[in-house]
Amino acid sequence: MRFRQVHLDFHTSEAIKDIGSAFNKEQFQDMLRTGYVDSITVFSKCHHGWAYHPSEANEIHPHLAFDLLGAQIEAAHEIGVKTPVYLSAGLDQRLARQNPEWLIRDQNEKTNWTPNFMTPGYQQFCMNSPYLEVLALQVHEVVTRYDADGIFLDIVGIRECYCQFCVAEIRKRGSDPRNLDDMKALWEETYFNYAARMNHTVHAVKPDLPVFHNSSHVDRGRRDLAHLNTHLELESLPTGGWGYDHFPLSARYAQTLGLNFLGMTGKFHTSWGEFGGYKHPNALRYEAALSLANGARCSIGDQLHPAGLMDHATYALIGEAYKEVAAKEEWCQDTASVADIALLSVEAASISPGGSMIDDHSKHADTGAARILLEGHYLFDVIDTQADLGKYAVVLLPDAIVLTETLKEKLADFLNKGGKVLATGRSGLSADGTRFELDFGAEWQGVSSFTPSYFKPGFALQSLQNASFVLYTEGQDIALAQGGVSLGSKENSYFNRDLFTFCSHQHTPSNMEDAGPGITEGPDGIYIAWNVFEDYALKGSLSVKEIVCYALDRLLANKQLRTNLPAQGITTLQAQQSHNRLVHHLLYASPVRRGQHVEVIEDLPPVLNTEVNIALSEPVREVYLAPQNTPLPFKQENGTVSYTIPLWSCHQMVVIQH
């Protein structure tokens, strides 16, 4: 898998004339060189349903007079650039109008994506319809006729569908479309059948050709879905609805799966389909570096003009990021994450058989937990219930992970080997929600009847001195068990806000009475009695972050990395075992809100005198800045390597050669 990819969208209406008329091989190649691009995904078929090459399995765009796909592949290969080929799998508006009965339908017969044919947009196909055979012929045609370097199939996944093909199939099986469990099983089977059919279609012709099925998000906990692909492409355009929280959370999970993967952002100011919108060059530099720091390769989305002319401003913009990536690749290949903490994803635990069901309260837990771990500069992976816990010192159970027997046994083995657990909210409770399954020095008494409630810490916080602070999310009532240690007390409000009992503008103040412990510690770890990660994701209270960091630091006796990097900075540690070295990544940028829902990166201020201590017992031969190859003074004593980076900006790698 190449490091510097472009995903070249080309969704082009039949109402536009002269398609590809300005395409020029030399100009295409010049733009790829300008952008330092080494792989570009080009189009066989778009969402409108048109082929961009002569086709018997499809229909060429009515205003395209030559083989654009073939010309792009030839031009790219001539200069050593790879060309995966894109086919819109889930959307095909040309066929949708011809065969509307093949479309996904809800229970009210509305179509998916766009509710009807009087609204501009696309409708999505059901893979349980004859469309699957049409798509297979289109994929086969590309693989047999073109020197594609991969196949990218878009807009696919497990979909709810009540089309007449699905209804007929479920009735044929002796069930009923009103039986939701049976329908869910059918929808899963439909997707796996689709993926198996496409993979076989490709690999029967070219056994080693990469194939990726894109659903815009890699579901944590669904390893079976992930491994339908030869690699992963994490679509995550920060300004396109994903935000800057999404990619680190997805990448920290993806790196545990044993698949090569890339991070896909876009050159757009907003998202896909935007012509004339450009991201600030500093944002692309940061986003590409963020991929490298998380063990990923890079992909940047663009959209080709209908005339076929590559936009110079776009490739100059991409080139600013990819010139830096090209210089860094040597230290970013074949890496494995170094981590102290395993963040067990609520999404993953909810998907796994027997796991807790994700709800509106817990859906923010993963985001809040990852945000605190990033801002606290902890080394962590995001894991599912199948992960090996052997490399971690602490397992974090955020807010809503009740313990099945399987998970309980897995954690018991982890604890017996010296590990510790940090649990919050409902996490750590039995599957029936009546007791703790781990010894946190606490006894569960019930869900608190007060929301919000208050916590008065029994330890010092930087932001507060001897005060109780509000927690906005659901809390639990607990009592101190024998041998347990209280790390702070819970306080309730006078009453919940209601029609005849409300006080002031928001919520009622604390009644200042001790309502039992709010945080406890026992032999198995620490328990915090609120959904603190949901709280941090929604409210961002500094006090919440400080109590979580206090608990983690208390559990992490031998933290592998310590730094004075500012909170907005990100740090990761990647091992290149074949080179006997660690690569320490540091990133810094400050996204700011522009417009209603868009966060942008513009400024990349310099960072001064970043101090770092890394636990490492192997003798260190040298420490140097990469890609500059500048030696960095260091000390190694008592199993710790220490160094200070005097000045850096955006992204800096430090190589520790041992």
Side-chain angles (χ1 to χ4, degrees), residues 517-561:
I519 303 180
T520 61
E521 184 173 16
D524 292 343
I526 293 176
Y527 173 73
I528 302 173
W530 289 269
N531 294 346
V532 290
F533 297 113
E534 177 197 357
D535 196 296
Y536 196 69
L538 297 177
K539 301 294 185 180
S541 169
L542 181 59
S543 302
V544 167
K545 178 170 71 173
E546 287 189 28
I547 67 168
V548 172
C549 291
Y550 172 83
L552 287 172
D553 290 344
R554 192 173 173 96
L555 295 174
L556 278 173
N558 298 300
K559 194 175 179 182
Q560 292 188 76
L561 187 148

Side-chain angles (χ1 to χ4, degrees), residues 262-327:
L262 59 80
M264 180 189 287
T265 184
K267 70 93 179 180
F268 317 103
H269 173 62
T270 57
S271 192
W272 300 107
E274 179 184 54
F275 291 101
Y278 300 92
K279 185 171 289 180
H280 195 284
N282 284 343
L284 271 190
R285 290 175 59 209
Y286 176 81
E287 289 160 19
L290 188 62
S291 285
L292 299 181
N294 284 283
R297 312 296 169 93
C298 308
S299 176
I300 297 174
D302 179 29
Q303 178 146 310
L304 184 65
H305 189 276
L309 193 68
M310 298 279 271
D311 179 42
H312 183 272
T314 292
Y315 288 87
L317 172 65
I318 292 172
E320 291 196 40
Y322 276 177
K323 182 179 181 180
E324 295 181 5
V325 172

Side-chain angles (χ1 to χ4, degrees), residues 339-345 373 379-385 387-398 401 403 407 410-415 418-424 427-428 438 440 524-527 533 551-552 555-556:
D340 291 318
I341 298 169
L343 167 57
L344 179 53
S345 163
L373 292 173
L379 300 178
F380 72 101
D381 290 336
V382 177
I383 65 165
D384 56 30
T385 57
D388 181 1
L389 303 180
K391 67 182 270 192
Y392 307 107
V394 172
V395 171
L396 177 53
L397 307 179
I401 298 180
L403 301 192
L407 183 54
K410 192 181 191 80
L411 288 173
D413 181 63
F414 170 72
L415 292 163
K420 295 291 183 180
V421 172
L422 174 60
T424 66
S427 292
L438 301 177
F440 297 118
D524 292 343
I526 293 176
Y527 173 73
F533 297 113
L552 287 172
L555 295 174
L556 278 173

Side-chain angles (χ1 to χ4, degrees), residues 217-218 220 232-236 244-264 287 289-297 335-337 370 374 380-383 570 572 574:
H217 175 68
V218 174
R220 295 185 289 278
L232 299 177
E233 304 196 20
L234 306 184
E235 186 178 0
S236 187
Y244 278 97
D245 286 323
H246 180 265
F247 177 73
L249 182 56
S250 292
R252 298 310 324 131
Y253 177 64
Q255 199 176 13
T256 69
L257 298 180
L259 292 168
N260 286 329
F261 69 105
L262 59 80
M264 180 189 287
E287 289 160 19
L290 188 62
S291 285
L292 299 181
N294 284 283
R297 312 296 169 93
T335 59
S337 69
L374 289 168
F380 72 101
D381 290 336
V382 177
I383 65 165
I570 290 177
T572 68
Q574 299 285 339

